[in-house]
Structure formats: structure tokens, C-alpha cells
Amino acid sequence: MRTALSRGYRTTSPRLSAASVSGGQVISNAGKYTMNTYARPSLVLSHGKGSYVYDTDGKEYLDFTAGISVMALGHGNSEIAAVISDQASKLVHCSNLYHNIWAPQLASDIVEATVAAYPHGTQGIYAKPASGKSPARVFFSNSGTEANEGALKFARKYGKHVAESGVLGKGTSEALRGDPNLKCNIVSFTNGFHGRTMGALSVTANPKYQKPFTPLIPGVQTAQFNASNQVGAFVDERTCAVIVEPIQGEGGIHAAQVDFLRALRQRCDQVGALLIYDEIQCGLGRSGKLWAHQMYPEDCSPDMLTMAKPLANGIPIGAILVSDKVAELIKVGEHGTTFGGNPLACRVGCTVLGHIAKPEFLKHVQEAGVLLEQELQQALAPFVGKQVVELRGDGLLRGIQFSSDPTPIIDLARDRGLLLVGAGSNTVRLVPPLNISFADIKRGASIIADCVNSHFSRGQHP
């Protein structure tokens, strides 16, 4: 006879609705129970739909932050919700002790979509192995910073491999074979942002983020972004990797120049170093291409590519796309994760990538980006060269650089129902959902123009 105990523990969940808790209560609990690591305005978001989010008081906001470039398909997406619900009822997590259906499917989708979107690629992640294997493979993580940590770790092992193989010329090879650990240096760039964990922080050259946590990992050198003439001085035989964003996001929406990326690719080949592109913010359709580096010639291609933010439309996930020559060196047990590659996140990733990779989707991003640029250029023309330094960006990764701190503009926009986010170099970052309508693009640009006009008409300077 089965007892009540044999039926197992039956769970019940408390139901918490937006109406049952006030914004003030939420903010009070946050101050009491969570660490004080974020500067946030006094509003509490409760739900969203499309390009809009709503606070606990019912106020509507047009969202030009998209969770910092995350919500590619918008908020409350019914297709994504259905996929999450269906998969959650089947299998959320099983660890990497076992295979699951969706991780290899998403890995295949990433590789195939990347190659299809850039058919003329022949270097790095596009180099086709003689054996006919896939040109690249994927390692799944849980976030962007974790993806960058993995890429840096893989580069350290690759550096040892190059040092031990003796391919860099007699004198250099003899020195490195004597101590393969010498080939361990990593080069990153000014205004770059790669994450907050220790390795990623070490290659994020911003004293505001780094200083409280020094000493950081050794062997990291910082060079000037877009300074092609400095590449040879910083990237040498002791360099194992160079990490760079093709379009810097957090640093202020700065695009790499073709000659700069080409010089990095050539120098990395000369000294046996890996070129890592951090496309966590600028990748997966944000630039109007599947990957931002696909706007550049094929001789700028990376050996590794890191991604995260929009891949599962808000479900935590990250990934490293790794060229075959690197993947072959990483053996069982040399890297791992508990949650990375879980079936829930990967199934959602398959759905999201299935949309983003479509030519018609990318065409929409390109057209929306052009429209946003045109609307801003027209509306802000009286201020350009004065209070507005520059408008820049590609696709729906746009920036408005002001002559000084733009926080008052961001605050005023929020009061008027538009969410914006700042970036480095006194820049306001514009990163709405990628499927935003043209009407909402115009509405957002209009609110920005009204805020700038209102602010400066009072004789204020951001």
C-alpha cells in the first residue's frame, strides 16, 4: 500500500501579482536584502509587451535599452513564452553529464548560420579543415563575461601549444620551448568592455571598474583602439591572444576601422596569437549583419567569437564560437560548466536565432537603423558640433555623444516615457528591440529631440 509519503513532496508556489506589492515595497526590500551594486531610478518594472515596458504604477515606457541589447524580439513575445512553457514542462536542466536535444542543435544553428551569412570567409572561424569537419565549434556558458573567460582560457592553452611547437623562428622558438608559459600575454584596448569577472575585468581597461579589485591577472597589456601603427609594438611573440569589440558598446559606440582589424589579423598570424572578437553586444543582428565583423573584409575574421545578450531573448546564455584549430586542442575535463548548454536556454536560443538569421529580419534592422539615424540627424541638427559632438553607430546600435554628461537628458526622457542607457564618452546609447516598428523608431527619436530641445532651451548643458 502506498503511503502519502511515497507520493513525494508536492510543491506549491506563492502567487505574487503586480497588484499585491507596491513599487515602494520592492525598492525597500532591494535596499534591505540585495547588495548595493546598481544605481537605479525609483521605478519598478512589472511587465512588458513588444517595445514597451510598464511599471507597477501602470506607466508606459518605450524601451530603447532592451535590457542592454538583450531583448532582440521584444518583451512578452508570445512565441518565446510558448517555447519556454513547453520546454519547462519537459526538461529544464540535466547538466553536462548527459547529452540533451537542444544544445547540439543550437551549436549547429550558430555555426551554419554564421558560415551562410559570410560565404566568402576563409580565415579563423571560417577556415575549412582538410578533414571536412565543421570549421568551428561551440562552447556554451551562462553569460557574456563567462564566455570571455572561456575564450581567454582557451587562448592561454593555445599559446603554450604554439610555444612548444617551435614555429616562430629559431631564437624565439628556443626561448619559448624553454618556458611555454612565457607565451601568455593578452592585448586589449582602450574603451573596451568585456565583463566584470576577474579575467574579463583584467582586459577591461577602465580604472572605475578595475581599481577596487587590483591586482588583476598578470600579462595584460592595453593598446589604443583603432591605432593600427601600435599593433606591432603591443602584439609580439609572447602574445597568446588579442581581444577586441568590432563595435564598442559600453565604451561609447565606437566602430573599429578596417585597417585596424586587418592589422590585428595579420599580426596575430605572424606571432601565433589568437584574435578574439567580443560580439556580446554588437553581434547577433544588432549591427544589421548577423555578426558585426561581417561588415568587414574576410581578412579581418576572428579565431574565436563570444556572444551572449540577445541569444535567448533574456534567458541567461552565452557561447564561444571556436575555430577548429583551437577546438582541437581543448580536451575532456579542461573546461566545463554546470548550467551552460541547458535545454531550456538552448531551445529558446534556437527560436531566437531562427528569426535573427533570416535575411528579411536583418534587412528590417538595417532599415530601422537608417530611419533612426535620419530622424536624429534632422532633429538634432541645430545642436551638432555644439552640445552634440557626434551621432554614430550601425544598425540598431547607435550613440549620441554629448559635450558633457548626458544624465539629465536620460532622466528627462524617462520622465517622458522613453528608457535610454548611457555609455562611455558622454554617450547616450540607443539599443531598442531589433523587431521594433518604424512608428516606434520615430516616436523614440521625437522624444529624444524634445528632451534635448527642452534641456538646452533652459540654458542647461548636459
Side-chain angles (χ1 to χ4, degrees), residues 153-154 157 329-336:
K153 185 176 173 182
F154 296 164
K157 183 172 186 188
L329 294 176
I330 307 303
K331 305 303 180 184
V332 172
E334 290 186 337
H335 198 48

Side-chain angles (χ1 to χ4, degrees), residues 80-227:
I80 298 297
V83 169
I84 292 171
S85 177
D86 184 66
Q87 189 60 40
S89 70
K90 294 176 178 176
L91 186 66
V92 171
H93 174 77
C94 61
S95 86
N96 286 296
L97 293 172
Y98 313 100
H99 292 288
N100 72 74
I101 295 170
W102 293 103
Q105 183 61 58
L106 179 56
S108 172
D109 290 353
I110 290 170
V111 173
E112 296 300 326
T114 299
V115 172
Y118 201 67
H120 51 286
T122 59
Q123 299 186 39
I125 57 174
Y126 302 98
K128 296 174 177 59
S131 62
K133 295 181 297 184
S134 169
R137 279 172 268 176
V138 176
F139 180 89
F140 288 112
S141 64
N142 310 286
S143 66
T145 191
E146 187 183 333
N148 282 336
E149 292 284 347
L152 297 176
K153 185 176 173 182
F154 296 164
R156 281 283 178 87
K157 183 172 186 188
Y158 183 82
K160 285 188 177 184
H161 165 73
V162 172
E164 292 167 345
S165 64
V167 297
L168 295 180
K170 185 176 180 182
T172 300
S173 294
E174 289 176 355
L176 292 177
R177 274 190 299 210
D179 184 1
N181 288 329
L182 290 174
K183 192 168 179 61
C184 66
N185 291 346
I186 300 164
V187 176
S188 61
F189 298 93
T190 54
N191 292 320
F193 182 86
H194 303 289
R196 309 275 190 151
T197 51
M198 211 62 181
L201 179 63
S202 298
V203 295
T204 297
N206 187 326
K208 178 178 73 173
Y209 299 137
Q210 289 185 336
K211 188 175 180 180
F213 306 104
T214 55
L216 303 173
I217 68 169
V220 174
Q221 298 172 294
T222 302
Q224 188 71 30
F225 185 72
N226 271 335

Side-chain angles (χ1 to χ4, degrees), residues 154-419:
F154 296 164
R156 281 283 178 87
K157 183 172 186 188
Y158 183 82
K160 285 188 177 184
H161 165 73
V162 172
E164 292 167 345
S165 64
V167 297
L168 295 180
K170 185 176 180 182
T172 300
S173 294
E174 289 176 355
L176 292 177
R177 274 190 299 210
D179 184 1
N181 288 329
L182 290 174
K183 192 168 179 61
C184 66
N185 291 346
I186 300 164
V187 176
S188 61
F189 298 93
T190 54
N191 292 320
F193 182 86
H194 303 289
R196 309 275 190 151
T197 51
M198 211 62 181
L201 179 63
S202 298
V203 295
T204 297
N206 187 326
K208 178 178 73 173
Y209 299 137
Q210 289 185 336
K211 188 175 180 180
F213 306 104
T214 55
L216 303 173
I217 68 169
V220 174
Q221 298 172 294
T222 302
Q224 188 71 30
F225 185 72
N226 271 335
S228 302
N229 60 340
Q230 294 184 15
V231 169
F234 280 88
V235 183
D236 59 25
E237 287 78 5
R238 290 191 58 186
T239 304
C240 70
V242 173
I243 184 168
V244 65
E245 298 162 272
I247 305 175
Q248 294 182 329
E250 178 78 15
I253 320 301
H254 300 284
Q257 297 168 0
V258 173
D259 288 348
F260 176 62
L261 294 186
R262 180 177 287 133
L264 291 179
R265 175 72 275 167
Q266 291 174 350
R267 186 59 175 161
C268 284
D269 289 341
Q270 289 170 357
V271 302
L274 296 177
L275 180 57
I276 304 169
Y277 283 170
D278 177 341
E279 294 220 27
I280 291 162
Q281 184 156 180
C282 65
L284 286 165
R286 179 60 59 180
S287 70
K289 296 287 187 180
L290 182 59
W291 302 109
H293 76 266
Q294 292 177 340
M295 297 190 297
Y296 296 84
E298 64 91 17
D299 58 351
C300 299
S301 300
D303 297 300
M304 286 192 278
L305 174 69
T306 58
M307 68 194 79
K309 287 182 178 293
L311 184 54
N313 211 60
I315 299 296
I317 191 172
I320 318 166
L321 184 59
V322 183
S323 63
D324 179 71
K325 72 177 183 181
V326 180
E328 283 293 309
L329 294 176
I330 307 303
K331 305 303 180 184
V332 172
E334 290 186 337
H335 198 48
T337 171
T338 297
F339 295 103
N342 70 75
L344 177 65
C346 288
R347 183 174 174 188
V348 176
C350 288
T351 302
V352 173
L353 184 61
H355 286 287
I356 291 177
K358 290 178 179 177
E360 57 267 34
F361 187 96
L362 295 172
K363 181 181 179 182
H364 170 79
V365 175
Q366 294 164 11
E367 292 175 347
V370 169
L371 177 62
L372 179 56
E373 181 180 37
Q374 291 172 342
E375 293 286 315
L376 291 173
Q377 283 178 338
Q378 181 177 352
L380 300 180
F383 305 99
V384 174
K386 303 170 187 176
Q387 297 96 334
V388 174
V389 176
E390 186 181 22
L391 306 176
R392 55 178 175 261
D394 293 278
L396 288 174
L397 178 56
R398 298 280 170 174
I400 308 170
Q401 183 179 354
F402 289 87
S403 57
S404 55
D405 182 15
T407 299
I409 300 288
I410 295 172
D411 293 343
L412 190 56
R414 184 173 62 252
D415 291 341
R416 298 185 180 188
L418 175 67
L419 299 184

